[in-house]
């Protein structure tokens, strides 16, 4: 809410003196991508907020031959695959060198979603791609390493993968990060690692990855949440809620000009 108040002031709008549950930010309907098992207190949510599962809709892309062979080779050698999402702008530039130093000699394979330039410094147990068929990869990954975006966290959980969530110390570029990390860590399906904004410590990264891979508990919790998400049928719930909202008498007449502008 403080960020919302600052934005209103910057736009020359008067302050909005409402309780958070009455905020106009919620709109007429807020669809929250989660399930009760991920939330601490579902009953405290405003009546306009509804849980709709993951609603990810990851496209089913087939891997190229080189990627399939790389993953098959890892499986044949009984090496765990760590799926690392390191392509975003929210991590400090020094994260990649520290990550390479931390894991170059570890008995695992690292599949990194990162800019093409990162491939030039990738060691032999790394494979770097700017784009990956995520559903295919997540089915074969032992764990995920990523900033705590809702898409990354839900992608991991819908495939039963535990996660190591990287959080920057200091101001967060994405306001969902702390909430997503807190929910995943609270359930036991993830661990978190605070990164200094300057230069991450390779030893910290190495120990955090080792701990996640060696402890069976996070994977068990992630698989429990995988079953909860699969049973929730979020897309059907979301569609029903939207139909119900649109069927309210006068709703489209009231919002007609706004919708026309969107559909033009």
């Amino acid at each position: 809410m403080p960020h919302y108040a600052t934005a209103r002031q910057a736009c020359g709008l008067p302050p909005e003196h409402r309780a958070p549950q009455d905020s106009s930010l919620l709109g007429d309907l807020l669809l929250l991508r989660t399930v009760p098992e991920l939330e601490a207190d579902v009953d405290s949510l405003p009546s306009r907020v509804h849980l709709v599962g993951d609603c990810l809709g990851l496209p089913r892309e087939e891997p190229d031959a080189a990627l399939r062979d790389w993953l098959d080779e890892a499986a044949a050698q009984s090496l765990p695959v760590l799926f690392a999402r390191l392509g975003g702008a929210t991590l400090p530039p020094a994260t990649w060198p520290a990550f390479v130093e931390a894991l170059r000699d570890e008995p695992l394979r690292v599949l990194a979603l990162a800019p093409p330039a990162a491939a030039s410094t990738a060691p032999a147990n790394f494979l770097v791609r700017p784009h990956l068929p995520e559903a295919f990869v997540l089915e074969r990954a032992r764990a995920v390493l990523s900033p705590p975006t809702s898409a990354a966290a839900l992608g991991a959980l819908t495939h039963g993968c535990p996660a190591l969530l990287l959080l920057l110390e200091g101001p967060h570029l994405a306001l969902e990060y702390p909430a997503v990390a807190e929910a995943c860590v609270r359930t036991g399906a993830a661990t978190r690692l605070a990164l200094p904004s300057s230069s991450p410590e390779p030893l910290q990264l190495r120990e955090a990855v080792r701990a996640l891979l060696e402890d069976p508990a996070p994977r068990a919790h992630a698989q429990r949440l995988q079953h909860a998400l699969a049973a929730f049928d979020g897309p059907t719930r979301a569609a029903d809620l939207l139909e119900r909202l649109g069927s309210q008498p006068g709703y489209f007449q009231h919002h007609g000009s706004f919708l026309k502008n969107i559909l033009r």
Side-chain angles (χ1 to χ4, degrees), residues 19-40:
Q21 62 268 25
D22 298 322
S23 169
S24 57
L25 281 175
L26 298 180
D28 296 310
L29 174 67
L30 180 64
L31 304 181
L32 196 60
R33 294 198 304 169
T34 186
V35 289
E37 290 82 355
L38 268 168
E39 296 302 311

Side-chain angles (χ1 to χ4, degrees), residues 187-264:
T187 64
T191 57
R192 82 184 115 197
L193 179 64
L195 296 180
S197 56
S198 53
S199 179
E201 172 56 50
L203 179 60
Q204 259 192 317
L205 280 165
R206 185 184 307 122
E207 290 179 345
V209 170
R210 283 180 180 174
L212 183 64
L213 293 176
E214 292 171 2
D215 185 357
R219 186 166 187 83
H221 289 301
Q223 290 173 340
R224 173 178 58 84
L225 289 167
Q226 178 186 22
H227 296 314
L229 285 159
F232 204 74
D233 194 14
T236 299
R237 288 173 182 255
D240 288 345
L241 288 163
L242 289 170
E243 285 184 358
R244 195 183 313 162
L245 178 67
S247 66
Q248 293 176 7
Y251 183 81
F252 283 105
Q253 286 78 8
H254 179 69
H255 297 277
S257 59
F258 172 71
L259 291 170
K260 287 177 184 176
N261 289 332
I262 292 177
L263 297 174
R264 276 177 185 166

Side-chain angles (χ1 to χ4, degrees), residues 118-251:
S120 63
T121 57
N125 62 331
F126 278 52
L127 179 63
V128 177
R129 293 286 183 87
H131 174 78
L132 285 165
E134 292 197 24
F136 182 86
V137 168
L138 286 165
E139 289 170 357
R140 289 154 179 79
R142 180 76 62 84
V144 171
L145 180 143
S146 173
T149 67
S150 55
L154 289 169
L157 293 177
T158 55
H159 291 82
C161 281
L164 173 59
L165 302 174
L166 305 178
L167 275 166
L168 277 176
E169 293 180 350
H172 298 283
L173 295 182
L175 296 178
E176 70 169 348
Y177 282 15
V180 171
E182 180 185 350
C184 293
V185 171
R186 184 177 60 248
T187 64
T191 57
R192 82 184 115 197
L193 179 64
L195 296 180
S197 56
S198 53
S199 179
E201 172 56 50
L203 179 60
Q204 259 192 317
L205 280 165
R206 185 184 307 122
E207 290 179 345
V209 170
R210 283 180 180 174
L212 183 64
L213 293 176
E214 292 171 2
D215 185 357
R219 186 166 187 83
H221 289 301
Q223 290 173 340
R224 173 178 58 84
L225 289 167
Q226 178 186 22
H227 296 314
L229 285 159
F232 204 74
D233 194 14
T236 299
R237 288 173 182 255
D240 288 345
L241 288 163
L242 289 170
E243 285 184 358
R244 195 183 313 162
L245 178 67
S247 66
Q248 293 176 7
Y251 183 81

